[in-house]
């Protein structure tokens, strides 16, 4: 796709946005619906490229999935209902799909092969393949199972007691999904709390999982039962509008039905630390995932330090937080964020590189970045590098420029937010 000329030199942002369904929960609704018994219905499903890759993979595993607008009906027959695929399972750009799917396939007594796009081919898989191999799965791939394509011959699994070397919801979830199929009781220990959508989903589908501090315990041999899932709006997508509303003078944006899971609300904590004018109206009938409405207004922001246990709660929001920091008074320091180096891109280096093109005063560190505010941003040619969150961050950055900004590889944004530009343009006044 050709470079896109972004909107620049706007007045203010004003209006209401209904954020599309949460990507993490949409992925998991398909996966759990496919391995549960009965017909699972999913509403407000995110039809982004990543989640469509998950649907495609489970159809190849023999699962009947019906789509209608943003609704799904998934006809599950349990883990044992999955069948050996006749084709390669292509996960596209989705790290969630490949890592969680490996946890499911590790327990299935058949052969399958997983591939993805160029970005997936560079992302490390041993953090999943090693513990799954220790449980009994036979997994191979490039560089001794480090990179795709990967082959899996699953089957009989033994339980595992495993401490995650890094805080990763994807790795944790893969091991939980394998643990559900293993003999005995598995324990997974997190170094820091990560998003708990998998644990909540297990309970929603009638399963049992225990969590004591950072120790997760799951018993094998459980039977899951179909459920009804309404996917809340994705707070990682809402983050772009929260920051835009805070940094663009005279703005006020209302965001509806946003997921407010406490393991995902790091962006809200940072906004509050930096002095943003933010209102939160929590819904009272949250039985599955907490949700609420948010109102953000243009704000006078100050720099802060972002580190430690807060990082896993905002790992996907660091690019847009970096942009927000360019418009705050004083320095903002982001550290303990090494995990950003193995996302869709090396997000530390990429964010620094692209924001510098627009005039930001920012530098990379070994585990994060330092941003010096307040910067006046100007025009230029920038690139998403195929990373949806970098692309959306740059689209928001362009709003602050009076000169032209061209975005290369804008198509990456459809991975998680196909209607992003439509929603953004509707707010511009």
């Amino acid at each position: 796709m050709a470079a896109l000329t972004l909107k620049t030199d706007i007045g203010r942002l004003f209006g209401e946005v209904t954020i599309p369904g949460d990507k993490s929960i949409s992925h998991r609704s398909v996966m759990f619906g496919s391995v549960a018994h009965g017909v699972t219905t999913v509403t407000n499903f995110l039809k982004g490229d990543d989640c469509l890759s998950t649907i495609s993979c489970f159809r190849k595993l023999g699962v009947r999935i019906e789509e209608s607008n943003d609704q799904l009906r998934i006809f599950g027959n349990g883990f044992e209902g999955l069948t050996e695929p006749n084709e390669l399972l292509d996960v596209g750009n989705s790290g969630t799909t490949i890592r969680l799917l490996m946890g499911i396939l590790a327990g299935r007594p058949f052969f399958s092969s997983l591939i993805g796009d160029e970005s997936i081919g560079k992302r490390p898989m041993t953090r999943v393949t090693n513990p799954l191999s220790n449980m009994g799965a036979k997994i191979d791939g490039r560089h001794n199972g480090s990179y795709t394509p990967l082959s899996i011959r699953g089957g009989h699994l033994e339980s595992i007691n495993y401490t995650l070397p890094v805080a990763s919801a994807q790795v944790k979830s893969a091991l939980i999904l394998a643990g559900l199929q293993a003999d005995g009781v598995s324990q997974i220990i997190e170094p820091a709390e990560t998003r708990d959508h998998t644990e909540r989903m297990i309970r929603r589908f009638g399963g049992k999982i225990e969590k004591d501090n950072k120790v997760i315990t799951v018993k094998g041999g459980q039977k899951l039962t179909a459920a009804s899932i309404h996917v809340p709006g994705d707070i990682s997508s809402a983050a772009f509008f929260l920051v835009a509303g805070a940094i663009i003078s005279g703005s006020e944006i209302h965001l509806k039905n946003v997921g407010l899971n406490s393991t995902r609300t790091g962006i809200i904590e940072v906004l509050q630390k930096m002095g943003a004018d933010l209102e939160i109206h929590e819904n009272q009938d949250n039985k599955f995932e907490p949700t609420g409405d948010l109102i953000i207004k243009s704000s006078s922001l100050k720099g802060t330090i972002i580190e430690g246990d807060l990082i896993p709660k905002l790992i996907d929001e660091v690019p847009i937080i970096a942009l927000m920091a360019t418009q705050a008074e004083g320095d903002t320091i982001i550290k303990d964020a090494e995990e950003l180096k193995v996302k869709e891109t090396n997000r530390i280096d990429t964010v620094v590189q692209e924001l510098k093109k627009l005039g930001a005063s920012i530098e990379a560190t070994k585990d994060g970045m330092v941003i010096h505010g307040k910067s006046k941003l100007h025009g230029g040619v920038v690139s998403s590098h195929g990373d949806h969150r970098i692309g959306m961050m740059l689209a928001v950055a362009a709003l602050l420029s009076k000169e032209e900004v061209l975005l290369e590889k804008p198509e990456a944004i459809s991975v998680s937010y196909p209607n992003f530009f439509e929603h953004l343009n509707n707010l511009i006044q």
Side-chain angles (χ1 to χ4, degrees):
M1 184 175 176
L4 179 68
T5 302
L6 298 172
K7 295 277 189 181
T8 57
D9 195 22
I10 66 163
R12 64 171 184 161
L13 298 173
F14 188 86
E16 183 178 293
V17 180
T18 299
I19 298 296
D22 186 279
K23 185 157 76 81
S24 295
I25 297 172
S26 292
H27 279 304
R28 287 162 174 79
S29 68
V30 174
M31 295 180 183
F32 278 91
S34 295
V35 299
H37 292 265
V39 181
T40 291
T41 59
V42 184
T43 53
N44 200 39
F45 179 80
L46 175 66
K47 298 192 82 170
D49 293 347
D50 273 11
C51 297
L52 295 176
S53 292
T54 294
I55 288 178
S56 173
C57 287
F58 278 89
R59 282 176 170 159
K60 290 176 182 177
L61 289 165
V63 181
R64 178 182 160 200
I65 302 174
E66 297 178 352
E67 299 177 61
S68 176
N69 297 319
D70 64 352
Q71 299 187 22
L72 301 179
R73 294 181 79 215
I74 304 163
F75 296 78
N77 291 298
F79 283 104
E80 63 275 18
L82 301 180
T83 58
E84 184 170 278
N86 297 320
E87 307 171 62
L88 294 172
L89 300 175
D90 188 347
V91 305
N93 185 248
S94 179
T96 300
T97 305
I98 192 166
R99 292 193 173 119
L100 272 64
L101 186 52
M102 280 195 281
I104 292 173
L105 294 174
R108 304 326 310 144
F110 53 69
F111 177 84
S112 52
S113 293
L114 292 153
I115 59 169
D117 67 5
E118 182 181 359
S119 170
I120 286 291
K122 297 175 182 176
R123 297 177 71 173
M125 295 296 159
T126 50
R127 54 179 60 181
V128 178
T129 60
N130 284 349
L132 290 179
S133 297
N134 291 339
M135 294 177 78
K138 296 178 175 63
I139 305 176
D140 203 357
R142 287 188 301 119
H143 297 281
N144 294 317
S146 298
Y147 300 100
T148 57
L150 293 168
S151 65
I152 301 177
R153 184 170 291 282
H156 181 80
L157 297 180
E158 297 291 342
S159 60
I160 192 170
N161 190 318
Y162 188 74
T163 300
L164 297 178
V166 295
S168 168
Q170 292 178 358
V171 179
K172 171 184 73 173
S173 297
L175 298 182
I176 290 172
L177 286 161
L180 284 170
Q181 305 171 76
D183 284 347
V185 177
S186 294
Q187 283 197 332
I188 300 108
I189 301 150
E190 298 187 277
E193 187 178 42
T194 62
R195 57 187 64 178
D196 66 352
H197 303 306
T198 297
E199 296 94 311
R200 288 173 179 268
M201 197 73 73
I202 286 174
R203 297 184 188 106
R204 184 70 170 182
F205 281 84
K208 292 183 179 178
I209 187 165
E210 296 176 8
K211 186 170 184 179
D212 182 10
N213 196 8
K214 295 170 185 173
V215 180
I216 298 158
T217 304
V218 59
K219 185 177 180 180
Q222 296 189 49
K223 178 179 177 179
L224 303 177
T225 304
S228 171
I229 301 292
H230 180 76
V231 182
D234 196 323
I235 194 166
S236 295
S237 296
F240 298 95
F241 294 104
L242 289 170
V243 169
I247 66 177
I248 296 172
S249 180
S251 296
E252 180 176 329
I253 304 173
H254 294 229
L255 303 171
K256 308 294 287 185
N257 190 41
V258 179
L260 295 178
N261 184 309
S262 62
T263 63
R264 293 282 299 281
T265 50
I267 179 64
I268 288 177
E269 293 180 47
V270 170
L271 281 160
Q272 291 170 333
K273 282 180 68 174
M274 296 179 76
D277 187 349
L278 174 66
E279 295 178 28
I280 304 169
H281 302 277
E282 292 192 40
N283 297 331
Q284 300 304 311
D285 58 348
N286 301 312
K287 296 178 182 176
F288 170 45
E289 289 271 358
T291 62
D293 298 340
L294 306 175
I295 301 173
I296 186 72
K297 299 177 183 177
S298 58
S299 309
S300 178
L301 303 170
K302 59 182 184 296
T304 190
I305 298 175
I306 304 166
E307 62 184 338
D309 287 353
L310 185 55
I311 293 295
K313 298 169 71 173
L314 49 68
I315 198 73
D316 285 332
E317 289 76 65
V318 168
I320 194 65
I321 288 171
L323 171 63
M324 178 166 62
T326 70
Q327 303 306 302
E329 295 291 343
D331 291 350
T332 295
I333 300 169
I334 300 172
K335 52 187 179 179
D336 303 323
E338 298 97 331
E339 187 70 5
L340 286 171
K341 294 181 178 180
V342 292
K343 300 296 282 185
E344 284 83 339
T345 59
N346 179 331
R347 282 187 178 154
I348 292 175
D349 291 346
T350 306
V351 166
V352 170
Q353 173 187 327
E354 296 305 312
L355 282 176
K356 274 187 172 179
K357 291 178 182 177
L358 299 179
S361 177
I362 179 172
E363 63 247 12
T365 63
K366 64 183 173 94
D367 64 347
M369 59 192 83
V370 178
I371 307 103
H372 310 285
K374 186 172 185 181
S375 297
K376 182 171 180 165
L377 302 187
H378 55 64
V381 179
V382 292
S383 173
S384 76
H385 294 261
D387 187 325
H388 53 125
R389 303 200 193 279
I390 303 287
M392 286 185 279
M393 179 272 287
L394 293 168
V396 175
L399 301 174
L400 297 165
S401 171
K402 293 188 179 299
E403 298 93 34
E404 182 176 82
V405 178
L406 288 175
L407 175 63
E408 296 176 338
K409 300 186 177 180
E411 65 277 5
I413 291 170
S414 67
V415 160
S416 64
Y417 204 152
N419 298 324
F420 174 73
F421 286 111
E422 175 191 343
H423 289 178
L424 182 61
N425 292 339
N426 286 343
L427 296 171
I428 293 174
Q429 295 192 348

